[in-house]
Amino acid sequence: MTGDVWSFSENAAVASEVALAAEGLAPAVQGGPVVVEVGRARDGVRGGGERLVLQGCPQDGPAEALAECISRAAKSLGPAIILVGATREGREVAARLAVKLDVGCLPEASRISSDGKTVSAERSVYAGRVSATLTSPLPCVVTVRPGSFAKSTGATGTVRNYDAGTPEVRVRRLGSSRRETGSVDLKSAKVIVSAGRGVKRKEDLPMLEGLASEMKGALGCSRPLSSDLGWLSEEHHIGLTGVVVKPDLYLAVGISGQLQHIAGMKDSKVVAAVNTDRDAPIFQASDYGIVGDLYQVVPALRKALSARH
Amino acid sequence: MNVAVCVKHAVDEGELRFDPAGRPLIEGAAGKMGAFDKNAVEAALRVRSEVGGEVVGVTVGGADARKSLKEALAMGADRGVHVLDEPHLLNPSRTSALLAASLREAGQFDLVLCAEGSSDTYSGLVPPMVAERLGYAYVGYARKLGVTASEVRAERSLEESIESVASPLPAVISVVSEANEPRYPTLIQIMQASKKPVAEVRAQDLLSAGGTHSVTIGSMFAHSTDRKRIFLEGTTDEAAAKLVDALRKEGVISV
Ligand SMILES: Cc1cc2nc3c(=O)[nH]c(=O)nc-3n(C[C@H](O)[C@H](O)[C@H](O)COP(=O)(O)OP(=O)(O)OC[C@H]3O[C@@H](n4cnc5c(N)ncnc54)[C@H](O)[C@@H]3O)c2cc1C
């Protein structure tokens, strides 16, 4: 089967990553990469090839409307593969799209290839313990794990407008509040100091932030600190259900090292850990370990770092 | 209010074994109820205690999956539906088609609750697919729920924002783990769960009219984590100095 490879994400940064995945895949299905946009072409989205702008659809979603508009365009234009960024909104778009188009769906791909008849996607399963390659016939929808591809630097080609109409939506938005976002971009940080439940109080986080900035790095955390305690925003949350990072150095402080956390940092170049428990699983996944109380070890590390200056 | 809650008997990732070539031994692997599914069951039970009605637990899976269904019944669900299927791992199209078909047969539901994702695959596709197939409204990643006779209000936990929404019924809702603290069943509840009715349906009877798109598993292998695992010993200051030294030698810090 031949056809284009479409890419879509409602999140501009993820959209540029998915666009790069589409550029890589397009030759295999003898088509071109197409960046799908809703309402208007966004400046922040990079991607080579055509830009398909769906008119009529509300620009900021909801997913229900986005899926309907994209499916209308897909039914008339017939792409071979539709890649959707696996964000929380994106997963709904992809799921609805696959059902509406009556095609298969491969989830959470970190690598994608095609032989022209099928598409194969590599993903991690069982809390990151296993890497699986899944194959489905074309046409197919694939959700793409954010952080798996670099951002496209391609220049926008022709812009094609498509009137997808304004679909009915049932779920009404009553309000939205942005989470407090720092200036963290964990995906591009070379050094990450990551905080876990070993940290007793929110007020102690600046100590770790200080260590991170002295190492020219950023602060991350385990899921409980962001999701349950709300000490840090979700963009700091590393692991299966958060972001996947691959820094040069990952320093886990007071993190036990459960599989779901390891899933988000196991590809780091060097891993070091500080934990009071010598048997904590994090040490099995580390190159260097210090058994000790973070409230003593972190100040000692800061002192050792400044010793040279 | 009629509430359905979907639970998955997930592979217990901590118990997974591998053959010498590094392939996971999926067949016969130990299973457990998806960790977040317990939050979905808890959410369903709370809706029942607020507005009354019935909670039906639904699972798709092999004979083993009965264990997770029983757990939902022990937590407090009134009855269960078990769609007996080969464990068709990693195909959300099939799972969602079976769930939607069995929900259509099992009754008229106002709410279908699911977890944000299963603990073994975490794809997050089954809940919105079920909504799309049933033609229900969908609210994903809810961390707060308020249900009235005609509508559900929810706070959605998205990556960059918290969004509040109102949705008509019927609706499929997926909940995040911070939505609630799941209850633990008592011993008596566990014993009573065996007496609650469970309807068994065969997958092939539900999907006789047209199958779903195939997903084949090409290969599976263990991620290897080759790490040095060196403990730095000594006093706190000595260990810290050794670590900073090692990291400088590795060239991963520039200070
Ligand atoms: C489906 C699913 C998905 C999940 N996804 C994620 C995910 O994406 N990311 C994630 O992180 N988790 C995730 N989790 C949760 C995960 O299983 C763990 O519960 C979580 O990672 C534990 O966080 P922690 O290590 O900070 O806390 P704990 O496990 O409580 O560990 C705290 C550690 O700190 C140590 N400690 C205590 N005091 C000190 C001290 N003074 N100095 C030094 N060390 C100290 C303790 O020895 C312990 O090892 C998920 C769970 C499920 C079921």
Side-chain angles (χ1 to χ4, degrees), chain A residues 127 145 195-200 221-225 228 237-243 250 253-264 274-278 280-282 290 292-297, chain B residues 13 32 34-36 116-120 122:
Chain A
R145 178 93 177 143
R197 286 306 309 262
V199 177
K200 304 282 177 293
C221 68
S222 65
R223 177 172 167 119
L225 263 62
D228 304 333
H237 158 193
I238 291 163
L240 181 67
T241 47
V243 285
Y250 189 86
V253 182
I255 290 179
S256 59
Q258 302 305 314
L259 288 169
Q260 295 89 357
H261 185 79
I262 305 287
V274 178
N275 198 302
T276 41
D277 177 7
R278 186 174 282 268
I282 190 70
I290 296 180
D293 184 341
L294 71 92
Y295 288 91
Q296 282 153 22
V297 177
Chain B
E13 66 281 345
K32 60 171 189 200
F36 297 159
E116 62 175 283
S118 62
S119 45
D120 55 356
Y122 199 75

Side-chain angles (χ1 to χ4, degrees), chain A residues 6-248:
Chain A
W6 289 12
S7 65
F8 173 78
S9 177
E10 78 295 341
N11 176 309
V14 177
S16 300
E17 297 175 14
V18 187
L20 186 74
E23 288 164 35
L25 206 50
V29 286
Q30 289 158 31
V34 176
V35 177
V36 179
E37 297 259 40
V38 172
R40 65 173 171 84
R42 288 170 294 177
D43 297 333
V45 178
R46 300 296 300 262
E50 192 181 291
R51 195 152 299 213
L52 177 64
V53 181
L54 304 180
Q55 311 279 334
C57 189
Q59 196 186 319
D60 58 346
E64 184 181 3
L66 299 176
E68 178 59 24
C69 290
I70 298 172
S71 85
R72 287 177 188 172
K75 277 177 189 159
S76 75
L77 302 173
I81 302 170
I82 306 179
L83 306 179
V84 181
T87 59
R88 292 186 168 193
E89 285 290 85
R91 292 188 185 113
E92 178 181 344
V93 173
R96 289 184 177 278
L97 204 48
V99 174
K100 285 175 196 287
L101 298 174
D102 195 18
V103 301
C105 189
L106 296 179
E108 305 291 309
S110 54
R111 271 194 218 172
I112 315 163
S113 62
S114 175
D115 60 5
K117 290 193 198 73
T118 62
V119 56
S120 294
E122 195 176 304
R123 66 160 301 181
S124 98
V125 285
Y126 309 129
R129 291 191 76 190
V130 171
S131 174
T133 305
L134 308 175
T135 302
S136 190
L138 295 177
C140 187
V141 173
V142 182
T143 72
V144 180
R145 178 93 177 143
S148 306
F149 292 86
K151 290 185 178 60
S152 170
T153 53
T156 304
T158 47
V159 175
R160 182 209 290 225
N161 289 313
Y162 182 91
D163 186 1
T166 308
E168 184 205 345
V169 289
R170 285 166 291 186
V171 178
R172 277 181 301 132
R173 274 193 190 131
L174 304 174
S176 170
S177 59
R178 283 193 75 75
R179 292 181 189 270
E180 61 167 283
T181 51
S183 48
V184 288
D185 180 11
L186 287 184
K187 281 175 205 155
S188 61
K190 294 243 180 292
V191 173
I192 294 175
V193 175
S194 198
R197 286 306 309 262
V199 177
K200 304 282 177 293
R201 303 174 312 153
K202 185 180 179 186
E203 292 69 42
D204 301 332
L205 287 173
M207 173 175 79
L208 295 188
E209 233 159 1
L211 175 62
S213 78
E214 282 152 25
M215 290 185 165
K216 302 198 174 82
L219 184 68
C221 68
S222 65
R223 177 172 167 119
L225 263 62
S226 54
S227 303
D228 304 333
L229 299 168
W231 290 355
L232 288 163
S233 66
E234 281 294 321
E235 61 188 344
H236 296 265
H237 158 193
I238 291 163
L240 181 67
T241 47
V243 285
V244 175
V245 295
K246 301 170 194 165
D248 288 344

